[in-house]
Amino acid sequence: MRWPAARGFLLLALVACRTPAPPRAAPKASLATEDTVQIWADVTAVNRAGDIAWRPIESHRLYGLAFERYELADGPTLLLVLGDGSSAVDVQVWFDAGTKDDGVDFGRTAALLDAVRDGRSVPGAHRSGIAWHLAYWATTTTPEHLDAALAATKERRPADAAWGVIEARRRTWTADRLHANVERAAAQRTVADELERDAIDEAAAVFDPGRATLVIAGAIERRDVLARVGAVYAEVERPNDEAPKVWEPPVAPRAPFELKVPGAVRRSFVWWPLAEASAADHLAVETIAAVLAGRIAKEASPSGITSVAVRHRPGATGSLTVEMELAETMTATAAARRVERVVKDISAGGTTGREIERALATARGRRLAQVARVDGRATTAARAFLEHGALRALADEAAVLEVLGERDLRRVAKAQLGKRPTIVLTRPERSAP
């Protein structure tokens, strides 16, 4: 059974802080040629009929689906995924919770999201949770209940607490802070009943409709859903303090250090925070991660590494983490050196065509499986936009999947993984020093 703190640690250690950036110019429209005329016709008709101000931003055709992005003046961003193959509709509303310290406490934040946005009155399957720094509420229902689902995305508890602006100052990673976060993740058992009223009120500042990114996928028509969303969100205004944010890579302690945490096994983490990277580069990192996992697993048991898992976090600034269970004879530094040797070999051209094709086949299969489900389509659109700033990231990935080769892996491995990683060893509390 996997140690529960491991996932929590990864979420905690890899979440970056944000700082305000100067407002950017409005994005230019990038519409797919075959959809441009119909999109403008639908937007114009809806705006005139309902006195709304929709503006189309992006449209891309991928996997037989149309991924589209719209903006509403003083309202949310809307992502639509149109296509055949489902009789249901999935409605998701995403929030940027990355500047809130509790955003890394994914169990507590998910419970807060359930408390702030009550979807029990919406027919269908209701769910909510945290994906890295992003919180989401979602429901899969029928087109007939779309209005109820849209109304639920706007509901929230009153924000009575004075605490309204969520921690926006830059933080610096330290061993003490990392120690505290790992301990908290290992012991986390938050449920909705344990939440205090003031915590729910405070969360309402994050889960504000004006900060929402709304995603709708499934059996819908463009003109109909633009009219419905416009009617629900027409009077929702963005908070005055809202401004575009940019990722700031965390400053992590570089020297190897140890943390004592609840658990029964020793684990070593080798962590590279990635510099600003495109969706295409992150696909190369994902391929490198698959090669890393396979290579280390081959020599794991005899060398003192009993298991290995490689986790890649995408986004404009993401991370690559290699997590290993270690026998007592293996040190964290020795395990990290094995990982670094494989990375250097990849950057020097030491991969094989079979390794690359196997990793790419896995990446293709994962994406096809995701968009095969109506809820997966919505999630795919949301993550592409929120992590990279544009739905164009999906098109970039699709193009790279067809042409990615060893030269790309060498370039990305050298640029993104050439620097020295952070090495952390977690050891059970009851173990000897």
Side-chain angles (χ1 to χ4, degrees), residues 71-360:
E71 287 186 352
L72 183 65
D74 295 324
T77 296
L78 172 65
L79 308 180
L80 298 184
V81 187
L82 309 175
D84 298 329
S86 173
S87 60
V89 60
D90 195 82
V91 179
Q92 300 186 8
V93 56
W94 289 72
F95 305 91
D96 183 351
T99 56
K100 185 177 186 298
D101 189 53
D102 286 334
V104 300
D105 189 346
F106 52 97
R108 181 172 183 267
T109 308
L112 284 170
L113 186 59
D114 270 331
V116 173
R117 275 177 205 282
D118 183 5
R120 288 175 293 180
S121 61
V122 182
H126 161 65
R127 59 200 181 278
S128 65
I130 287 289
W132 301 111
H133 61 288
L134 305 170
Y136 67 91
W137 178 93
T139 185
T140 301
T141 185
T142 63
E144 292 74 21
H145 294 113
L146 178 57
D147 287 337
L150 289 174
T153 67
K154 190 178 174 183
E155 294 171 0
R156 66 186 180 94
R157 301 279 182 90
D160 298 327
W163 184 82
V165 179
I166 308 303
E167 183 182 16
R169 64 182 182 276
R170 181 179 301 184
R171 281 175 169 267
T172 302
W173 290 99
T174 64
D176 289 343
R177 182 187 175 205
L178 197 56
H179 192 301
N181 285 346
V182 171
E183 287 185 330
R184 183 178 64 176
Q188 184 174 301
R189 294 292 186 274
T190 303
V191 296
D193 293 341
E194 298 173 357
L195 300 175
E196 297 179 358
R197 176 67 197 189
D198 60 346
I200 296 174
D201 290 338
E202 291 171 357
V206 172
F207 306 136
D208 185 287
R211 298 181 185 273
T213 296
L214 185 63
V215 194
I216 304 177
I220 52 176
E221 294 183 1
R222 182 187 297 112
R223 188 173 299 195
D224 177 55
V225 76
L226 286 174
R228 294 201 201 187
V229 175
V232 171
Y233 279 90
E235 298 181 1
V236 173
E237 297 182 357
R238 292 187 182 277
N240 293 331
D241 61 345
E242 180 71 355
K245 304 295 197 309
V246 294
W247 277 110
E248 287 289 340
V251 180
R254 290 295 181 87
F257 61 93
E258 294 190 6
L259 304 177
K260 288 191 176 182
V261 296
V265 294
R266 297 167 68 244
R267 291 183 184 272
S268 175
F269 298 87
V270 183
W271 170 40
W272 282 274
L274 304 178
E276 188 78 16
S278 65
D281 277 2
H282 275 287
L283 185 58
V285 173
E286 183 180 329
T287 306
I288 292 171
V291 175
L292 266 174
R295 293 240 190 132
I296 299 171
K298 286 181 180 179
E299 60 179 52
S301 184
S303 68
I305 302 173
T306 58
S307 71
V308 60
V310 183
R311 308 185 193 281
H312 165 235
R313 176 187 178 274
T317 300
S319 51
L320 179 68
T321 303
V322 182
E323 170 195 342
M324 295 166 285
E325 291 186 7
L326 304 181
E328 288 295 334
T329 56
M330 172 64 72
T331 66
T333 302
R337 285 174 180 164
R338 291 180 182 271
V339 175
E340 290 185 274
R341 281 201 298 268
V342 176
V343 171
K344 289 180 180 178
D345 187 46
I346 293 173
S347 63
T351 54
T352 66
R354 185 175 181 181
E355 281 180 314
I356 296 173
E357 187 52 44
R358 184 182 301 164
L360 286 174

Side-chain angles (χ1 to χ4, degrees), residues 333-413:
T333 302
R337 285 174 180 164
R338 291 180 182 271
V339 175
E340 290 185 274
R341 281 201 298 268
V342 176
V343 171
K344 289 180 180 178
D345 187 46
I346 293 173
S347 63
T351 54
T352 66
R354 185 175 181 181
E355 281 180 314
I356 296 173
E357 187 52 44
R358 184 182 301 164
L360 286 174
T362 300
R364 294 187 190 106
R366 184 180 299 114
R367 282 155 180 77
L368 290 174
Q370 184 82 347
V371 298
R373 309 188 318 271
V374 65
D375 61 321
R377 297 172 189 176
T379 300
T380 298
R383 294 300 298 272
F385 171 67
L386 292 168
E387 292 283 10
H388 294 283
L391 288 175
R392 180 69 201 176
L394 288 171
D396 291 344
E397 284 190 351
V400 172
L401 276 171
E402 302 301 322
V403 299
L404 187 65
E406 187 173 353
R407 179 180 298 178
D408 301 287
L409 299 191
R410 289 201 302 268
R411 174 183 59 81
V412 173

